[in-house]
Amino acid sequence: MSDPGGGQPAVLADQASFDDPGSDGGQSSAYFRRLDDGRYQPGRFASGIWASGSVSGRILGGLIGHVLVQEQAEPGYQLARLTVDMFRSIPYAPLQVTTSLVRAGGRIRVADVHVSHDGVVVTRATAVFLRPSSNAPGEIWHAEREAWPAPRLGSPVPQQPEGSRADVRPMVRGDESGGAVVPTAGVQRGGSWLREVREVVEGTPLTPLARAILVADMTSPLTHRGTGGLQYINTDFTLTLVREPVGEFFGVLAQDQYAVDGVSFGLTTIHDAAGLLGTCTTTALANAGRADPAHLLDRKRRI
């Protein structure tokens, strides 16, 4: 998200991206590079649509996940919840990411994350890691579930826009009904499979967990895009995972959305090659007419 308070767009600082903004950069062009002082410099593919000189909330979520795994993950625990609060514009400038351990218990591990620029916190996050065991006995009600098989690796890649951040495909039901869910256009259910083609941090290969975190913030555009385009800006997202992610394709499928007086929520389910993986929820504010793809640096020849 960017600029929820309606202030001026973020000003570009330390503008020199680590990849050439005048070329595509190829699939190896990462979203961030770690600088010698420990900060993270965004590349041009990290820019967002809400304000000129801002970083995409989805991409920032990937950076938060990367640092969390590097600093707070422990063997025997798995990430079960990640809540990211984006309450300021995220400037396209070197970002400091710090983590702190809140609790290290026998079954629960909790950590906090703060993202700052020039000493000002722009985003915070909380992560909960749980130790898996076995399901409790008994039956519990749950909603009817449909099968949404992931695309096969190596299957023909559909034509993607130049400089794409991900291989994006429609979600197709596995019951042979022929029904497909595609990225939203008008009043219809939104859903997409995504396979990231760019590293979060240069030199660090993508893991399934990193891919799952990167896809989470697609919840807002897939639940809030309608006949007027994307008119809501999300202020947060909460990703829940019930197991370790697998594979390279991750699906986001809209389940619900509702707004009153300009305040909205969106809900999706998250899928991978093994099936249902978790959920993502987001809250959002009406922000009519502010989304502009021209803000994306990878759509420009110059910064």
Side-chain angles (χ1 to χ4, degrees):
M1 63 89 64
S2 170
D3 195 23
Q8 295 298 314
V11 176
L12 285 177
D14 297 315
Q15 293 186 11
S17 172
F18 61 79
D19 53 3
D20 176 12
S23 66
D24 173 46
Q27 293 189 358
S28 63
S29 297
Y31 293 130
F32 294 93
R33 168 180 286 174
R34 191 161 192 243
L35 303 177
D36 292 340
D37 61 8
R39 294 181 300 166
Y40 293 87
Q41 169 68 48
R44 65 193 178 93
F45 291 99
S47 57
I49 64 171
W50 289 107
S52 177
S54 66
V55 170
S56 162
R58 182 177 86 83
I59 305 306
L60 183 71
L63 177 62
I64 289 171
H66 167 85
V67 178
L68 268 171
V69 169
Q70 295 288 320
E71 298 184 1
Q72 297 296 343
E74 284 289 324
Y77 293 81
Q78 65 184 42
L79 181 66
R81 177 175 65 81
L82 175 64
T83 296
V84 178
D85 296 317
M86 299 170 286
F87 43 79
R88 290 182 184 272
S89 180
I90 306 160
Y92 184 84
L95 300 172
Q96 185 73 44
V97 185
T98 58
T99 70
S100 59
L101 183 63
V102 176
R103 171 173 165 76
R107 302 179 68 190
I108 302 174
R109 183 178 176 88
V110 180
D112 284 345
V113 185
H114 288 86
V115 181
S116 59
H117 171 64
D118 281 349
V120 177
V121 176
V122 296
T123 296
R124 67 181 182 186
T126 300
V128 176
F129 298 85
L130 301 180
R131 185 184 293 278
S133 57
S134 57
N135 286 351
E139 296 184 5
I140 301 175
W141 178 90
H142 60 75
E144 293 295 324
R145 299 194 181 113
E146 301 168 300
W148 299 88
R152 291 182 297 102
L153 286 177
S155 59
V157 179
Q159 184 175 2
Q160 306 286 339
E162 182 180 355
S164 292
R165 306 181 189 203
D167 174 358
V168 182
R169 309 191 187 195
M171 297 188 74
V172 181
R173 293 181 181 87
D175 58 6
E176 300 183 354
S177 65
V181 178
V182 298
T184 52
V187 181
Q188 64 183 60
R189 190 180 192 183
S192 291
W193 286 105
L194 282 85
R195 178 182 174 271
E196 292 289 338
V197 297
R198 303 184 187 280
E199 297 172 340
V200 176
V201 175
E202 189 178 45
T204 304
L206 284 175
T207 64
L209 179 58
R211 294 176 183 276
I213 295 173
L214 276 168
V215 84
D217 200 40
M218 284 296 294
T219 293
S220 189
L222 286 176
T223 57
H224 286 114
R225 190 184 303 275
T227 57
L230 183 57
Q231 303 274 23
Y232 285 83
I233 182 171
N234 65 306
T235 62
D236 58 53
F237 69 84
T238 295
L239 172 68
T240 65
L241 303 173
V242 295
R243 56 174 171 78
E244 293 287 351
V246 297
E248 296 186 10
F249 277 101
F250 285 81
V252 188
L253 182 63
Q255 299 295 336
D256 203 1
Q257 180 274 332
Y258 188 59
V260 176
D261 296 332
V263 177
S264 177
F265 81 86
L267 169 66
T268 62
T269 47
I270 308 298
H271 305 252
D272 65 5
L276 180 63
L277 175 64
T279 66
C280 189
T281 58
T282 185
T283 53
L285 293 168
N287 204 41
R290 297 288 294 277
D292 185 356
H295 293 318
L296 297 172
L297 298 183
D298 55 302
R299 300 294 192 269
K300 301 178 180 180
R301 302 303 295 178
R302 297 184 183 275
I303 294 179

